[in-house]
Amino acid sequence: MKKESKVLGLLLLLIGLILIHYNIINNFWYEKIENNKITNYFKNDYDAVPMTKKKKIIESSNKGFYKSYIGIIEIPKINLKKGFYRINSKYNNVANGIEVLKDSTFPERKNSTLILASHSGNSKVSHFKDLIYLTKNNLVYIYYKNKKYIYKIEECDKTNKNGHIKIKQYEKGRRLILTTCKNDELDKQYTCYAINIEERN
């Protein structure tokens, strides 16, 4: 009986070690692929290149046009730099990272509202887990169509989670809304609102 218990204990330990190593390797490859996709975005900027070149990029890409990022979000305060997909891409959902919500308008329009959502928590796609550390005047960069849009956080708030995001009424200008579930209160939605203060080529 003792021998069987010992064998069972060793087997469970082995399974645990395998799962830990699998998770480490899986996260490593996920980050490697993410970094490559961000690098490719800055090399190609698919939405900014001429159609003739864009066609060649699509034809030569194993990943496909709709699996390529159309933009990048960077938040220095929380050490975040991740890509997002076009709204009609099948990869545009929080299960794949950062989702562009369907009511979004993109920053090439002067009075646009870009709304981005992502998970909080501990998974590899929990890109907004540190959103709670953002405060007023922190900067957020959006790279889109060969331009860098600089946004400044105006406020962040916590509301009850009901499947909807409250879009506040502001004066005209480019707006950015970032939203996630609150880490320690899963029935709460945490949302940060920002305004565009500068754009650079």
Side-chain angles (χ1 to χ4, degrees), residues 123-149:
S123 78
K124 64 186 178 184
V125 291
S126 298
H127 299 319
F128 283 178
K129 64 184 176 185
D130 293 329
L131 214 63
I132 56 171
Y133 299 115
L134 293 185
T135 54
K136 188 175 181 179
N137 296 326
N138 287 156
L139 298 179
V140 180
Y141 308 137
I142 297 290
Y143 301 90
Y144 180 72
K145 287 196 173 180
N146 214 27
K147 287 188 177 181
K148 178 180 182 179
Y149 296 90

mmCIF file of all heavy atoms in Angstrom, residues 123-149:
data_model
loop_
_atom_site.group_PDB
_atom_site.id
_atom_site.type_symbol
_atom_site.label_atom_id
_atom_site.label_comp_id
_atom_site.label_asym_id
_atom_site.label_seq_id
_atom_site.Cartn_x
_atom_site.Cartn_y
_atom_site.Cartn_z
ATOM 1 N N SER A 123 -3.930 35.166 -17.098
ATOM 2 C CA SER A 123 -3.697 34.396 -18.324
ATOM 3 C C SER A 123 -2.760 35.156 -19.254
ATOM 4 O O SER A 123 -2.511 36.354 -19.074
ATOM 5 C CB SER A 123 -5.022 34.100 -19.033
ATOM 6 O OG SER A 123 -5.482 35.242 -19.727
ATOM 7 N N LYS A 124 -2.286 34.483 -20.279
ATOM 8 C CA LYS A 124 -1.348 35.106 -21.217
ATOM 9 C C LYS A 124 -2.001 36.204 -22.049
ATOM 10 O O LYS A 124 -1.304 37.014 -22.647
ATOM 11 C CB LYS A 124 -0.732 34.044 -22.137
ATOM 12 C CG LYS A 124 -1.721 33.347 -23.049
ATOM 13 C CD LYS A 124 -1.063 32.220 -23.803
ATOM 14 C CE LYS A 124 -2.076 31.493 -24.686
ATOM 15 N NZ LYS A 124 -1.478 30.329 -25.347
ATOM 16 N N VAL A 125 -3.327 36.238 -22.093
ATOM 17 C CA VAL A 125 -4.015 37.289 -22.851
ATOM 18 C C VAL A 125 -4.640 38.338 -21.921
ATOM 19 O O VAL A 125 -5.485 39.124 -22.341
ATOM 20 C CB VAL A 125 -5.095 36.705 -23.802
ATOM 21 C CG1 VAL A 125 -4.441 35.925 -24.929
ATOM 22 C CG2 VAL A 125 -6.098 35.851 -23.043
ATOM 23 N N SER A 126 -4.203 38.365 -20.677
ATOM 24 C CA SER A 126 -4.706 39.365 -19.716
ATOM 25 C C SER A 126 -3.890 40.647 -19.851
ATOM 26 O O SER A 126 -3.157 41.040 -18.948
ATOM 27 C CB SER A 126 -4.624 38.821 -18.293
ATOM 28 O OG SER A 126 -5.421 37.679 -18.147
ATOM 29 N N HIS A 127 -4.039 41.316 -20.985
ATOM 30 C CA HIS A 127 -3.184 42.470 -21.287
ATOM 31 C C HIS A 127 -3.563 43.723 -20.497
ATOM 32 O O HIS A 127 -2.744 44.633 -20.365
ATOM 33 C CB HIS A 127 -3.226 42.768 -22.784
ATOM 34 C CG HIS A 127 -2.734 41.630 -23.624
ATOM 35 N ND1 HIS A 127 -1.633 40.868 -23.290
ATOM 36 C CD2 HIS A 127 -3.205 41.110 -24.781
ATOM 37 C CE1 HIS A 127 -1.444 39.939 -24.210
ATOM 38 N NE2 HIS A 127 -2.380 40.062 -25.128
ATOM 39 N N PHE A 128 -4.795 43.760 -19.975
ATOM 40 C CA PHE A 128 -5.228 44.946 -19.222
ATOM 41 C C PHE A 128 -5.259 44.685 -17.713
ATOM 42 O O PHE A 128 -5.938 45.391 -16.971
ATOM 43 C CB PHE A 128 -6.601 45.416 -19.706
ATOM 44 C CG PHE A 128 -6.574 46.167 -21.019
ATOM 45 C CD1 PHE A 128 -7.746 46.630 -21.603
ATOM 46 C CD2 PHE A 128 -5.377 46.420 -21.681
ATOM 47 C CE1 PHE A 128 -7.725 47.323 -22.813
ATOM 48 C CE2 PHE A 128 -5.344 47.102 -22.894
ATOM 49 C CZ PHE A 128 -6.520 47.556 -23.457
ATOM 50 N N LYS A 129 -4.498 43.702 -17.261
ATOM 51 C CA LYS A 129 -4.507 43.378 -15.825
ATOM 52 C C LYS A 129 -3.975 44.527 -14.968
ATOM 53 O O LYS A 129 -4.328 44.651 -13.795
ATOM 54 C CB LYS A 129 -3.698 42.105 -15.565
ATOM 55 C CG LYS A 129 -2.227 42.227 -15.898
ATOM 56 C CD LYS A 129 -1.505 40.910 -15.721
ATOM 57 C CE LYS A 129 -0.045 41.035 -16.153
ATOM 58 N NZ LYS A 129 0.644 39.737 -16.096
ATOM 59 N N ASP A 130 -3.116 45.372 -15.537
ATOM 60 C CA ASP A 130 -2.540 46.488 -14.768
ATOM 61 C C ASP A 130 -3.201 47.829 -15.075
ATOM 62 O O ASP A 130 -2.683 48.882 -14.691
ATOM 63 C CB ASP A 130 -1.031 46.580 -15.042
ATOM 64 C CG ASP A 130 -0.272 45.384 -14.486
ATOM 65 O OD1 ASP A 130 -0.707 44.835 -13.461
ATOM 66 O OD2 ASP A 130 0.754 45.008 -15.082
ATOM 67 N N LEU A 131 -4.346 47.779 -15.737
ATOM 68 C CA LEU A 131 -5.060 49.021 -16.061
ATOM 69 C C LEU A 131 -5.398 49.816 -14.801
ATOM 70 O O LEU A 131 -5.446 51.042 -14.827
ATOM 71 C CB LEU A 131 -6.353 48.680 -16.820
ATOM 72 C CG LEU A 131 -6.823 49.661 -17.890
ATOM 73 C CD1 LEU A 131 -5.809 49.779 -19.015
ATOM 74 C CD2 LEU A 131 -8.182 49.236 -18.442
ATOM 75 N N ILE A 132 -5.596 49.112 -13.693
ATOM 76 C CA ILE A 132 -5.966 49.766 -12.428
ATOM 77 C C ILE A 132 -4.877 50.708 -11.914
ATOM 78 O O ILE A 132 -5.139 51.533 -11.043
ATOM 79 C CB ILE A 132 -6.313 48.731 -11.338
ATOM 80 C CG1 ILE A 132 -5.148 47.753 -11.131
ATOM 81 C CG2 ILE A 132 -7.592 47.993 -11.669
ATOM 82 C CD1 ILE A 132 -5.322 46.847 -9.922
ATOM 83 N N TYR A 133 -3.657 50.580 -12.455
ATOM 84 C CA TYR A 133 -2.561 51.444 -11.998
ATOM 85 C C TYR A 133 -2.458 52.744 -12.802
ATOM 86 O O TYR A 133 -1.620 53.592 -12.505
ATOM 87 C CB TYR A 133 -1.231 50.697 -12.056
ATOM 88 C CG TYR A 133 -1.222 49.468 -11.172
ATOM 89 C CD1 TYR A 133 -1.108 48.192 -11.724
ATOM 90 C CD2 TYR A 133 -1.352 49.581 -9.797
ATOM 91 C CE1 TYR A 133 -1.122 47.062 -10.921
ATOM 92 C CE2 TYR A 133 -1.368 48.455 -8.978
ATOM 93 C CZ TYR A 133 -1.258 47.203 -9.553
ATOM 94 O OH TYR A 133 -1.272 46.092 -8.752
ATOM 95 N N LEU A 134 -3.301 52.880 -13.817
ATOM 96 C CA LEU A 134 -3.279 54.121 -14.591
ATOM 97 C C LEU A 134 -3.944 55.244 -13.806
ATOM 98 O O LEU A 134 -4.957 55.030 -13.134
ATOM 99 C CB LEU A 134 -3.990 53.944 -15.932
ATOM 100 C CG LEU A 134 -3.326 53.015 -16.945
ATOM 101 C CD1 LEU A 134 -4.094 53.042 -18.253
ATOM 102 C CD2 LEU A 134 -1.879 53.382 -17.184
ATOM 103 N N THR A 135 -3.378 56.434 -13.912
ATOM 104 C CA THR A 135 -3.937 57.593 -13.239
ATOM 105 C C THR A 135 -4.014 58.765 -14.219
ATOM 106 O O THR A 135 -3.475 58.699 -15.329
ATOM 107 C CB THR A 135 -3.078 58.002 -12.023
ATOM 108 O OG1 THR A 135 -1.723 58.194 -12.459
ATOM 109 C CG2 THR A 135 -3.105 56.930 -10.948
ATOM 110 N N LYS A 136 -4.652 59.816 -13.790
ATOM 111 C CA LYS A 136 -4.832 61.006 -14.616
ATOM 112 C C LYS A 136 -3.485 61.499 -15.150
ATOM 113 O O LYS A 136 -2.492 61.525 -14.429
ATOM 114 C CB LYS A 136 -5.510 62.106 -13.797
ATOM 115 C CG LYS A 136 -5.907 63.317 -14.610
ATOM 116 C CD LYS A 136 -6.687 64.313 -13.758
ATOM 117 C CE LYS A 136 -7.091 65.514 -14.601
ATOM 118 N NZ LYS A 136 -7.873 66.491 -13.826
ATOM 119 N N ASN A 137 -3.472 61.855 -16.433
ATOM 120 C CA ASN A 137 -2.306 62.400 -17.151
ATOM 121 C C ASN A 137 -1.296 61.348 -17.624
ATOM 122 O O ASN A 137 -0.324 61.698 -18.292
ATOM 123 C CB ASN A 137 -1.579 63.478 -16.339
ATOM 124 C CG ASN A 137 -2.454 64.688 -16.109
ATOM 125 O OD1 ASN A 137 -3.271 65.048 -16.955
ATOM 126 N ND2 ASN A 137 -2.300 65.330 -14.952
ATOM 127 N N ASN A 138 -1.503 60.067 -17.278
ATOM 128 C CA ASN A 138 -0.655 59.035 -17.884
ATOM 129 C C ASN A 138 -0.886 59.010 -19.387
ATOM 130 O O ASN A 138 -1.998 59.289 -19.860
ATOM 131 C CB ASN A 138 -0.972 57.652 -17.317
ATOM 132 C CG ASN A 138 -0.484 57.456 -15.896
ATOM 133 O OD1 ASN A 138 -1.008 56.635 -15.163
ATOM 134 N ND2 ASN A 138 0.525 58.205 -15.474
ATOM 135 N N LEU A 139 0.153 58.677 -20.146
ATOM 136 C CA LEU A 139 0.063 58.701 -21.606
ATOM 137 C C LEU A 139 -0.172 57.311 -22.192
ATOM 138 O O LEU A 139 0.329 56.305 -21.674
ATOM 139 C CB LEU A 139 1.337 59.301 -22.198
ATOM 140 C CG LEU A 139 1.629 60.755 -21.821
ATOM 141 C CD1 LEU A 139 2.935 61.212 -22.470
ATOM 142 C CD2 LEU A 139 0.487 61.687 -22.217
ATOM 143 N N VAL A 140 -0.922 57.288 -23.283
ATOM 144 C CA VAL A 140 -1.175 56.061 -24.051
ATOM 145 C C VAL A 140 -0.895 56.388 -25.511
ATOM 146 O O VAL A 140 -1.342 57.422 -26.022
ATOM 147 C CB VAL A 140 -2.640 55.584 -23.903
ATOM 148 C CG1 VAL A 140 -2.860 54.302 -24.712
ATOM 149 C CG2 VAL A 140 -3.002 55.384 -22.441
ATOM 150 N N TYR A 141 -0.149 55.497 -26.182
ATOM 151 C CA TYR A 141 0.174 55.713 -27.594
ATOM 152 C C TYR A 141 -0.579 54.704 -28.447
ATOM 153 O O TYR A 141 -0.583 53.507 -28.153
ATOM 154 C CB TYR A 141 1.672 55.546 -27.848
ATOM 155 C CG TYR A 141 2.558 56.369 -26.938
ATOM 156 C CD1 TYR A 141 3.703 55.815 -26.372
ATOM 157 C CD2 TYR A 141 2.249 57.689 -26.640
ATOM 158 C CE1 TYR A 141 4.521 56.560 -25.529
ATOM 159 C CE2 TYR A 141 3.057 58.441 -25.804
ATOM 160 C CZ TYR A 141 4.187 57.874 -25.249
ATOM 161 O OH TYR A 141 4.991 58.623 -24.411
ATOM 162 N N ILE A 142 -1.202 55.208 -29.502
ATOM 163 C CA ILE A 142 -1.831 54.341 -30.502
ATOM 164 C C ILE A 142 -1.099 54.560 -31.823
ATOM 165 O O ILE A 142 -1.018 55.685 -32.316
ATOM 166 C CB ILE A 142 -3.330 54.661 -30.684
ATOM 167 C CG1 ILE A 142 -4.109 54.394 -29.389
ATOM 168 C CG2 ILE A 142 -3.915 53.857 -31.853
ATOM 169 C CD1 ILE A 142 -4.252 52.929 -29.015
ATOM 170 N N TYR A 143 -0.564 53.470 -32.382
ATOM 171 C CA TYR A 143 0.093 53.514 -33.698
ATOM 172 C C TYR A 143 -0.916 52.976 -34.705
ATOM 173 O O TYR A 143 -1.363 51.838 -34.603
ATOM 174 C CB TYR A 143 1.352 52.655 -33.699
ATOM 175 C CG TYR A 143 2.376 53.077 -32.672
ATOM 176 C CD1 TYR A 143 2.364 52.539 -31.384
ATOM 177 C CD2 TYR A 143 3.361 54.015 -32.982
ATOM 178 C CE1 TYR A 143 3.307 52.920 -30.437
ATOM 179 C CE2 TYR A 143 4.307 54.405 -32.038
ATOM 180 C CZ TYR A 143 4.269 53.854 -30.772
ATOM 181 O OH TYR A 143 5.207 54.239 -29.833
ATOM 182 N N TYR A 144 -1.261 53.811 -35.673
ATOM 183 C CA TYR A 144 -2.304 53.424 -36.625
ATOM 184 C C TYR A 144 -2.105 54.192 -37.926
ATOM 185 O O TYR A 144 -1.923 55.416 -37.912
ATOM 186 C CB TYR A 144 -3.690 53.716 -36.026
ATOM 187 C CG TYR A 144 -4.837 53.358 -36.930
ATOM 188 C CD1 TYR A 144 -5.163 52.025 -37.167
ATOM 189 C CD2 TYR A 144 -5.591 54.343 -37.538
ATOM 190 C CE1 TYR A 144 -6.221 51.696 -38.004
ATOM 191 C CE2 TYR A 144 -6.657 54.023 -38.371
ATOM 192 C CZ TYR A 144 -6.960 52.695 -38.606
ATOM 193 O OH TYR A 144 -8.001 52.370 -39.433
ATOM 194 N N LYS A 145 -2.124 53.469 -39.037
ATOM 195 C CA LYS A 145 -1.966 54.054 -40.375
ATOM 196 C C LYS A 145 -0.769 55.001 -40.459
ATOM 197 O O LYS A 145 -0.888 56.140 -40.880
ATOM 198 C CB LYS A 145 -3.262 54.751 -40.802
ATOM 199 C CG LYS A 145 -4.365 53.767 -41.163
ATOM 200 C CD LYS A 145 -5.474 54.432 -41.943
ATOM 201 C CE LYS A 145 -6.465 53.365 -42.429
ATOM 202 N NZ LYS A 145 -7.567 53.948 -43.204
ATOM 203 N N ASN A 146 0.346 54.478 -40.020
ATOM 204 C CA ASN A 146 1.619 55.185 -40.162
ATOM 205 C C ASN A 146 1.694 56.479 -39.344
ATOM 206 O O ASN A 146 2.487 57.374 -39.659
ATOM 207 C CB ASN A 146 1.911 55.491 -41.641
ATOM 208 C CG ASN A 146 3.394 55.433 -41.940
ATOM 209 O OD1 ASN A 146 4.151 54.733 -41.278
ATOM 210 N ND2 ASN A 146 3.826 56.184 -42.924
ATOM 211 N N LYS A 147 0.871 56.569 -38.296
ATOM 212 C CA LYS A 147 0.916 57.722 -37.399
ATOM 213 C C LYS A 147 0.926 57.257 -35.952
ATOM 214 O O LYS A 147 0.457 56.154 -35.635
ATOM 215 C CB LYS A 147 -0.277 58.653 -37.634
ATOM 216 C CG LYS A 147 -0.191 59.453 -38.912
ATOM 217 C CD LYS A 147 -1.297 60.497 -38.992
ATOM 218 C CE LYS A 147 -1.134 61.341 -40.258
ATOM 219 N NZ LYS A 147 -2.190 62.389 -40.350
ATOM 220 N N LYS A 148 1.457 58.111 -35.108
ATOM 221 C CA LYS A 148 1.448 57.858 -33.666
ATOM 222 C C LYS A 148 0.520 58.881 -33.015
ATOM 223 O O LYS A 148 0.748 60.086 -33.095
ATOM 224 C CB LYS A 148 2.865 57.991 -33.096
ATOM 225 C CG LYS A 148 2.952 57.780 -31.586
ATOM 226 C CD LYS A 148 4.408 57.943 -31.123
ATOM 227 C CE LYS A 148 4.545 57.695 -29.636
ATOM 228 N NZ LYS A 148 5.959 57.822 -29.182
ATOM 229 N N TYR A 149 -0.552 58.371 -32.390
ATOM 230 C CA TYR A 149 -1.513 59.236 -31.708
ATOM 231 C C TYR A 149 -1.240 59.165 -30.209
ATOM 232 O O TYR A 149 -1.223 58.078 -29.625
ATOM 233 C CB TYR A 149 -2.943 58.785 -32.004
ATOM 234 C CG TYR A 149 -3.318 58.905 -33.463
ATOM 235 C CD1 TYR A 149 -3.113 57.847 -34.343
ATOM 236 C CD2 TYR A 149 -3.867 60.082 -33.966
ATOM 237 C CE1 TYR A 149 -3.447 57.955 -35.692
ATOM 238 C CE2 TYR A 149 -4.212 60.198 -35.314
ATOM 239 C CZ TYR A 149 -3.993 59.134 -36.165
ATOM 240 O OH TYR A 149 -4.326 59.242 -37.497
#
